[in-house]
Amino acid sequence: MIQLRQLTKTYGEGPHRTTVLDHLDLTVDDREIAAVVGPSGAGKSTLAACVTLLEPPTSGSVVVGGRELSSLGERDLRDARRQIGTVFQSDGLLSRRTAAQNVELPLRYLGVTPADRRRRVAELLDRVGLSTRADHYPHQLSGGQRQRVGIARALALRPRVLLADEATSGLDPEATASVVRLLRDLRDDLGLSILFITHEMETVLDLADSAARLDHGRIVEQGRVVDLLRDPSSSLGRALLPRRAHAASAPGTTWSVSYAGADVPPDWLARVGTVLGVDLALLGASIGAVDGHTVGHATVAVPASTDPDALVRALAGLGLHARRTDAAHPPVRRVDAVLEPVA
Amino acid sequence: MSVLAGAALTGGTPLGHIPALVIPALGQTLLMVGIVMVVVVLVGTPLGVLLHNLAPGGLVERPGLHQVLGWTVSVGRSLPFLILMAALVPVTRVLTGTNIGIAAAVVPMSLAGIAFFARIVENSLRSVPPSHVRVAKASGASPLQIVTSVQLSEALPSILGGLTINVIAMIEYSAIAGTIGAGGIGYVAVTYGYQRFDHAVMLATILVLITLVALVQLTGDTAVRTATPHARRSRRMRRPSAESTTLPA
């Protein structure tokens, strides 16, 4: 479990003083994968540096597994860092060492005996599916493989929590998928808490149980990913599942419909049409399962003669939220729009 | 060639005597450079590590100390070797009891070499990505462990390349030291080739020096290649094309 309490980090003095993290509170439960998203400059990398204790926080505390880590001296700090596995954006593998030797490093630093080191390294490489690549140098591995070696190294000292700082940024989709799958497996098998800091919304959807939006050094919105997606007023939810441009509007009015409830019937479009006695035109939709729950949104057109209130009522009865989005009510379409600073 | 040979026959050392003159001199040069390089690596490496890590952004930032150290090294680097050698005569006399010969030459050569090598090490460490240091810190490494396992280890090919340049510079310095009677190839070249216009000896020393430098360069290049995994040819040929074998679809 990771608890950040009133975490504050400022740089500089006097008039040049800038606050990067501003009394930030965040909790990642045991076995939880929590994502922190935000635009560049929001404080994501500083947050990562503070949680791994590479940067001392100005005030506030970092508590991992019930132990307060932010007030330790240099030597204790080194011990404390060993409880936190860190996966960085650049894999950070030493170019002159093989995959196995890279994974071995944290064990060497700790002073583990060679026999124990060998056993543990074999175990770890097996865990990340790279047993056959043990003697390969980093330049002989693909980006995804290198990042998995980085994960094996982060796990070497059996940490209870894992911090992933942009761990999938810069990887191709296939490699990202392999890293995401590995992180989920690790959470399930080892009971890790994972703090996943990223700017990639799609990865959050595939990986995280909960998400928090960091803006100007504060967490401005957070919740379970499914709840965020079902809340039509959540800007983080909209950013996680952005709307694409939809097909040209038919005559009539255009409505944005989103899954707000848990039991939306799959044939809701036909059902609403029957109830209202009109044909609904489907202009665009993105519907799928996240963590076993159906979520998504659609854009539909209805004839101008339809009673708006009756439409909203009919949809609400099926667990759907509707909002008119044609010319009079333009929809938010840009993904970035919701990530920009809140005025 | 015939002119040179003729000169050698008329006024200079007989050709048959040249090996007896040059080979012991080569031995002296190798001894001088060898001793100097041992001192240079032993002192220059920690000095370069300090220069890098005391600087802002280093492992133990001490800007004041870094400046003092940086200036000291720069002074050592900025004096022409001939001047440094002359200026150091009193120091050399205290340390070795003499101001001529191999022992005396080793002192100024070592000092010049240490300053040279410290900068080479510093520069090589600078090329190690800071992310590597962050990873090691996050893995629980102590500063000393970071220096050995990350900084020096990753910079090794670059340091070896610099070491090669340094050895060649020291061979050159040993020739300059030859002018104050330090012995070695430089001494032979100056006393026979320069002062007595003995062209055959001059030519022989030049050939020996060219061969020596070429051999050092070749050895250095091989060492750098061996220390760089992605430069080893056999490895490159075994490089996997994609992660097709381990990545489930």
Side-chain angles (χ1 to χ4, degrees):
Chain A
M1 180 149 131
I2 309 170
Q3 285 169 290
L4 309 178
R5 291 198 206 110
Q6 297 288 299
L7 194 66
T8 301
K9 178 74 184 176
T10 57
Y11 290 102
E13 292 294 328
H16 302 294
R17 192 179 162 95
T18 45
T19 304
V20 182
L21 296 178
D22 187 8
H23 298 90
L24 180 147
D25 286 305
L26 185 68
T27 301
V28 186
D29 285 326
D30 286 336
R31 307 184 149 270
E32 185 186 4
I33 301 180
V36 172
V37 299
S40 45
K44 293 198 302 289
S45 31
T46 306
L47 175 64
C50 282
V51 174
T52 51
L53 307 166
L54 292 176
E55 292 263 9
T58 309
S59 67
S61 62
V62 177
V63 181
V64 172
R67 192 170 166 215
E68 159 76 60
L69 303 183
S70 41
S71 57
L72 299 173
E74 186 56 39
R75 185 174 285 270
D76 291 332
L77 205 57
R78 215 177 297 147
D79 278 339
R81 282 187 192 128
R82 295 187 166 123
Q83 303 179 10
I84 305 166
T86 310
V87 185
F88 293 91
Q89 171 169 13
S90 69
D91 49 67
L93 299 183
L94 300 183
S95 64
R96 301 187 54 247
R97 289 171 200 261
T98 61
Q101 287 167 339
N102 269 288
V103 173
E104 192 187 21
L105 275 176
L107 301 163
R108 265 179 188 276
Y109 294 149
L110 189 61
V112 176
T113 61
D116 286 346
R117 288 207 301 259
R118 258 196 309 282
R119 200 172 316 123
R120 180 83 181 122
V121 168
E123 209 175 283
L124 287 160
L125 284 175
D126 186 46
R127 188 71 202 69
V128 300
L130 289 174
S131 295
T132 56
R133 296 279 188 272
D135 295 327
H136 283 59
Y137 285 91
H139 74 275
Q140 298 168 308
L141 300 171
S142 70
Q145 290 174 332
R146 281 203 297 270
Q147 194 55 285
R148 281 185 283 155
V149 174
I151 293 173
R153 179 186 55 200
L155 294 173
L157 303 177
R158 304 180 195 277
R160 299 304 319 277
V161 306
L162 203 61
L163 177 103
D165 182 10
E166 298 282 2
T168 57
S169 306
L171 294 182
D172 62 57
E174 207 179 326
T176 299
S178 81
V179 169
V180 163
R181 209 159 33 233
L182 175 60
L183 289 175
R184 287 198 80 112
D185 287 352
L186 292 172
R187 185 269 304 269
D188 295 344
D189 299 351
L190 308 175
L192 292 174
S193 312
I194 301 178
L195 180 57
F196 190 82
I197 296 175
T198 188
H199 68 272
E200 296 176 328
M201 297 295 172
E202 212 169 308
T203 314
V204 174
L205 224 47
D206 291 338
L207 176 68
D209 305 313
S210 69
R213 181 155 68 92
L214 185 66
D215 197 4
H216 284 66
R218 288 168 170 273
I219 300 289
V220 290
E221 190 182 359
Q222 63 180 314
R224 283 176 56 217
V225 171
V226 174
D227 294 342
L228 292 168
L229 291 171
R230 283 183 180 156
D231 178 359
S233 65
S234 160
S235 58
L236 181 52
R238 285 200 299 274
L240 286 170
L241 202 60
R243 277 169 193 276
R244 314 257 307 270
H246 56 74
S249 180
T253 56
T254 310
W255 294 77
S256 169
V257 179
S258 57
Y259 282 53
D263 306 307
V264 179
D267 58 347
W268 60 269
L269 194 64
R271 286 202 199 191
V272 171
T274 312
V275 169
L276 297 177
V278 296
D279 287 332
L280 278 70
L282 188 58
L283 304 178
S286 170
I287 292 155
V290 167
D291 208 12
H293 305 278
T294 308
V295 292
H297 45 63
T299 305
V300 296
V302 292
S305 57
T306 316
D307 172 19
D309 294 333
L311 177 70
V312 170
R313 263 199 312 279
L315 287 166
L318 299 174
L320 293 150
H321 173 271
R323 184 169 55 95
R324 204 177 147 179
T325 54
D326 45 36
H329 312 81
V332 177
R333 220 176 271 153
R334 270 190 57 211
V335 186
D336 303 344
V338 290
L339 281 177
E340 268 156 18
V342 180
Chain B
M1 190 67 205
S2 61
V3 177
L4 290 174
L9 286 174
T10 52
T13 313
L15 281 179
H17 292 189
I18 289 181
L21 199 62
V22 170
I23 289 170
L26 177 63
Q28 286 167 345
T29 296
L30 292 180
L31 182 67
M32 230 183 320
V33 173
I35 295 172
V36 167
M37 284 319 294
V38 169
V39 178
V40 161
V41 170
L42 287 181
V43 182
T45 308
L47 197 58
V49 168
L50 278 179
L51 273 174
H52 178 70
N53 286 307
L54 292 174
L59 288 173
V60 274
E61 295 178 35
R62 300 278 187 283
L65 200 57
H66 174 255
Q67 286 227 319
V68 173
L69 209 59
W71 273 100
T72 314
V73 170
S74 291
V75 167
R77 292 275 299 124
S78 50
L79 293 182
F81 182 65
L82 197 62
I83 309 295
L84 181 74
M85 197 166 61
L88 280 177
V89 165
V91 180
T92 306
R93 204 194 292 264
V94 170
L95 285 178
T96 63
T98 172
N99 55 358
I100 53 161
I102 291 184
V106 161
V107 175
M109 279 173 69
S110 297
L111 282 177
I114 287 167
F116 195 142
F117 194 57
R119 286 296 185 202
I120 283 175
V121 170
E122 182 197 20
N123 199 47
S124 300
L125 297 191
R126 208 178 283 150
S127 67
V128 175
S131 61
H132 286 4
V133 174
R134 265 204 309 281
V135 168
K137 273 189 190 167
S139 304
S142 69
L144 189 63
Q145 285 172 327
I146 294 175
V147 167
T148 53
S149 74
V150 179
Q151 292 184 335
L152 288 176
S153 166
E154 280 293 290
L156 187 67
S158 167
I159 292 174
L160 287 175
L163 188 67
T164 310
I165 297 172
N166 204 329
V167 170
I168 292 171
M170 289 307 114
I171 293 172
E172 190 190 319
Y173 285 11
S174 83
I176 300 175
T179 59
I180 59 155
I185 292 283
Y187 176 74
V188 172
V190 168
T191 49
Y192 288 78
Y194 180 67
Q195 289 168 356
R196 298 191 201 166
F197 300 100
D198 191 334
H199 298 302
V201 175
M202 179 73 105
L203 197 66
T205 57
I206 288 172
L207 285 177
V208 167
L209 281 173
I210 289 176
T211 314
L212 183 59
V213 168
L215 278 177
V216 169
Q217 189 64 51
L218 191 70
T219 313
D221 289 348
T222 311
V224 171
R225 228 181 356 263
T226 313
T228 316
H230 52 265
R232 282 180 227 149
R233 218 183 140 67
S234 57
R235 295 283 186 182
R236 190 184 296 159
M237 283 159 68
R238 269 173 35 201
R239 187 193 163 112
S241 55
E243 58 176 44
S244 50
T245 48
T246 50
L247 239 192

